[in-house]
Amino acid sequence: MAVNPDNYGLRLFVRYLVLCLIALIFVFPLVFMINSSFKPDSQLLADTASLRAFLPVGDISLNNYFGAFRRAPVGLFVLNSVLVTGATVLLSLLICSLAAFSFAFLQWKGRDVLLSIVIATLIIPFETIAIPLLLLVSKLPWIGLDGLHWGWLNSYRVQIIPWIADGLTIFLFVQYFKGLPGELIEASRVEGANWWQVYYRVVMPLSGPVLATAAILKFLVMYNQYLWPLIVVQQESYRPVMVGLGYFFQLNVAWGEVMAYLTLITVPVLVFYLLLQRAFIASIASTGVKG
Amino acid sequence: MASKLTLSNRAGWTFALPGFALIFTFIVLPFFFAIGLSLTNQRLLSPNPTQFVGLENYQQLLGLAVVTLEPERNDAGEMIRNEAGEIQYPRLRAITRSDDYPQYRGMREWFRWQSGENVMVVIASDVVFMKALVNTFLFVLVVAPVQGSLALMLALLINHRVRGINLFRTIYFMPVVVSIVVVSLLWRFIYDGQNGLLNSILQALTFGLFQPVDWLGNPSTALPSVMAMSIWQAVGFHMVIWLAGLQTISPTLYEAAAIEGASRWQTFRYVTWPGLRNTAVLVLVVITMQGFALFAQIDVMTSGGPLDSTQTLVFQAVERGYGKQDISGGSTISVILFAIVLAISLIQRWLTRER
């Protein structure tokens, strides 16, 4: 098939044009958000009627950011989210990889039944169990430094513990572990390593890719959480960033401050994503591995 | 075969127990809890003891009936018409409040249609729930095919090895990493009726001919607007799944197709699409499950309004279970929702099974 060079150049140009137009559709709300966060309310609202919404023109200042910090304990919300997300990701990697290690490498009675139950939970969307789970956590006991309590509402634990283990993360680890060479495990056992040593001396050092995948998926789920903290956290001191947004809608809405807050909580994630985009995209792609 | 090296009951249980116990407590248990609670009148923080009520909650939600209203007639048997010449019918209340029809008590009109001289009225115990049910199905029926096919088109578009393609892939995926709450708030500006970005853009493109629409404030455009935004937000997610599927197709098949002189469409039809079969099932199942879980967009953008035109099942479950502290009502909706999700994923698997 002969390719006419001029024709090829034209086709390439059209291809890039299409790609760029589609890219515009995907970035314009974010450009609008960042731009608006620097504009006073009156100008922000007036600008949405024109292309000025996408340009940093007019009365540009950081006032909205100062305003946002005055209106709500923004730092506290960010800290809460970082704490809950960080703790859940770390605990999830540990607990799910241990379970998957057992499912993938060990033979024991009940293994297949338990694994089937774990896989079956993949079909239950969280939203369908949120309400009964709310009742459950409102009655669970907890032993703290100051003795026994009943009820988990308004705490960090209610945001962390139910999210540590999930079928998808265990499934990802199991799939990955099954791809590791079995002889390696056998050899370390023959050398006299116990199972715990096999786990952290042999398997974990080889699990970089799947740890990254699982961590990214969990990070996205946890940081962007809305429904669960909305119903289990009423107390301001435990609120994460997405629910903290509600603060800006009490009484009058200060849109510039809303935009500043949205920018503050979104841009770090976007930067993180842009730095690690290959890993982010690979983590979604690997949820598509067929079982 | 289980050798001595791998048969280890105690280690096996110890390693798996923390993870399994958490999944059992926070996923499996609440799931069965939901079924149990849906058969009671449990409320959060209720002073009264919980009672078993059987299927009453389901009847409350799913109760549905059709009643026929016959024209009112005078003594001579002629139909009474009002001044505009329209046939007069008895009021529905005469039936739903009458002691003659205890089975219809408390039900309300959902919709009606004309059938000859008579009017057929569909009445429901819970009209808002019925609207939520219909809206949720509509959402999935529109979003699944549209989002799935747009994602496939994007995947095919960026599956070419040209310079800078990775940048476009990164950009198309970007809304996926941004919280749906943030995205929904931004789209409220885009859809705003007075000086929203969408109206401004449409007016600029049509040189002012376009009449501004209050996209989220109008019952006929609110749900489609939420659909469009949801498709936009997650299309990159499914694009990536399609891409992963495309990469599993052997390049030798494409070479063979090129040698045979297959057209682009033929290559897609006979090489690409058959190779994407499993991916198609996955994308469809994932979009459907996400569609039935629709909540954050509704909560942030419309709160179910206007006139219940964007009510959804999860929104109703949360509104009852949390807002009204009616745990059993919320659980009943959860069970119905789960039954639907299960049925649909079984149907999808059956439709796309290997033949």
Side-chain angles (χ1 to χ4, degrees), chain A residues 16 19 25 45 48-49 102 107-109 123 128 186 195 224 226 234 242 245 255 259 273 278 284 288, chain B residues 5-6 8-9 12-13 157 163 166 170 172-173 177 179 185 189 195 197 200 232 235 282 299 322 334 345:
Chain A
Y16 276 114
L19 287 168
I25 297 174
L45 293 172
T48 54
S102 175
Q107 302 270 341
W108 41 282
K109 268 194 195 126
I123 203 176
T128 65
E186 296 269 323
W195 283 116
N224 292 335
Y226 182 64
Q234 279 89 45
M242 294 308 157
L245 198 52
W255 283 112
M259 290 298 166
Y273 162 65
R278 273 173 201 278
I284 300 295
Chain B
L5 287 172
T6 54
S8 171
N9 273 317
W13 274 100
L157 187 69
R163 195 182 294 265
N166 200 32
T170 306
Y172 298 173
F173 188 76
V177 301
S179 162
L185 257 171
F189 274 91
N195 35 23
L197 288 168
S200 316
W232 172 88
V235 73
L282 184 83
D299 195 48
Y322 173 69
S334 301
S345 55

Side-chain angles (χ1 to χ4, degrees), chain B residues 91-103:
Chain B
R91 312 200 45 176
L92 189 64
R93 263 190 261 172
I95 292 174
T96 55
R97 292 194 184 166
S98 155
D99 290 332
D100 300 340
Y101 305 100
Q103 72 271 34

Side-chain angles (χ1 to χ4, degrees), chain A residues 8 11-12 15-16 18-20 22-23 25-30 32-33 44-50 53-54 95-96 98-99 101-103 105-110 114-115 117-118 121-125 127-140 152-153 161-162 164-167 170 186 189-190 195-196 199 220 224 226-227 230-232 234 242 245 249 255 258-259 262 265-266 269-270 273-274 277-278 280-282 284-285 287-290, chain B residues 1-13 15-20 22-31 33-34 37 42-45 154 156-158 160 162-166 168-183 185-190 195-197 200-201 232-233 235-238 240-241 244 264 278 282 289 292-296 299-300 314 317-318 321-322 326-327 330-331 334-335 337-338 341-342 345 349:
Chain A
Y8 178 75
R11 268 175 46 188
L12 204 64
R15 179 175 289 274
Y16 276 114
V18 171
L19 287 168
C20 287
I22 297 175
I25 297 174
F26 283 103
V27 292
F28 82 100
L30 296 170
F32 166 69
M33 171 184 82
L44 188 168
L45 293 172
D47 281 1
T48 54
S50 71
F54 303 109
I95 303 243
C96 293
L98 276 172
F101 178 86
S102 175
F103 286 129
F105 297 127
L106 292 158
Q107 302 270 341
W108 41 282
K109 268 194 195 126
L114 258 59
L115 184 60
I117 294 175
V118 169
T121 62
L122 284 176
I123 203 176
I124 305 178
E127 287 77 2
T128 65
I129 55 165
I131 295 303
L133 187 57
L134 167 67
L135 185 71
L136 181 76
V137 297
S138 73
K139 305 208 159 156
L140 281 178
W152 284 19
L153 300 182
I161 296 172
I164 291 173
D166 67 282
I170 293 181
E186 296 269 323
R189 285 293 285 168
V190 173
W195 283 116
W196 178 246
Y199 167 78
L220 283 180
N224 292 335
Y226 182 64
L227 172 58
L230 187 75
I231 63 178
V232 295
Q234 279 89 45
M242 294 308 157
L245 198 52
F249 292 93
W255 283 112
V258 171
M259 290 298 166
L262 292 182
I265 64 177
T266 303
V269 181
L270 282 177
Y273 162 65
L274 290 174
Q277 41 91 11
R278 273 173 201 278
F280 268 81
I281 290 174
I284 300 295
T287 58
V289 291
K290 90 186 168 75
Chain B
M1 208 184 77
S3 72
K4 268 191 182 159
L5 287 172
T6 54
L7 187 65
S8 171
N9 273 317
R10 200 155 53 133
W13 274 100
F15 278 58
L17 198 62
F20 184 78
L22 286 169
I23 286 193
F24 188 83
T25 313
F26 296 108
I27 301 175
V28 180
L29 201 61
F31 173 71
F33 224 37
L37 286 169
Q42 174 82 41
R43 301 181 74 84
L44 198 67
L45 313 169
L154 285 182
L156 291 169
L157 187 69
I158 62 164
H160 287 260
V162 290
R163 195 182 294 265
I165 200 72
N166 200 32
F168 292 104
R169 197 174 71 155
T170 306
I171 291 174
Y172 298 173
F173 188 76
M174 211 146 73
V176 178
V177 301
V178 179
S179 162
I180 187 71
V181 178
V182 172
V183 162
L185 257 171
L186 290 174
W187 279 72
R188 266 172 56 173
F189 274 91
I190 293 167
N195 35 23
L197 288 168
S200 316
I201 292 169
W232 172 88
Q233 196 259 346
V235 73
F237 183 96
H238 301 289
V240 167
I241 300 183
R264 270 182 170 205
N278 292 313
L282 184 83
M289 297 219 341
F292 278 108
L294 177 64
F295 172 75
D299 195 48
V300 175
V314 176
V318 173
Y322 173 69
D326 175 8
I327 293 282
S331 297
S334 301
V335 174
L337 182 62
F338 178 76
V341 170
L342 182 67
S345 55
R349 267 156 216 260

Side-chain angles (χ1 to χ4, degrees), chain A residues 163-179:
Chain A
W163 293 87
I164 291 173
D166 67 282
L168 183 64
T169 309
I170 293 181
F171 176 72
L172 279 173
F173 275 112
V174 169
Q175 290 294 108
Y176 182 85
F177 289 164
K178 284 193 170 157

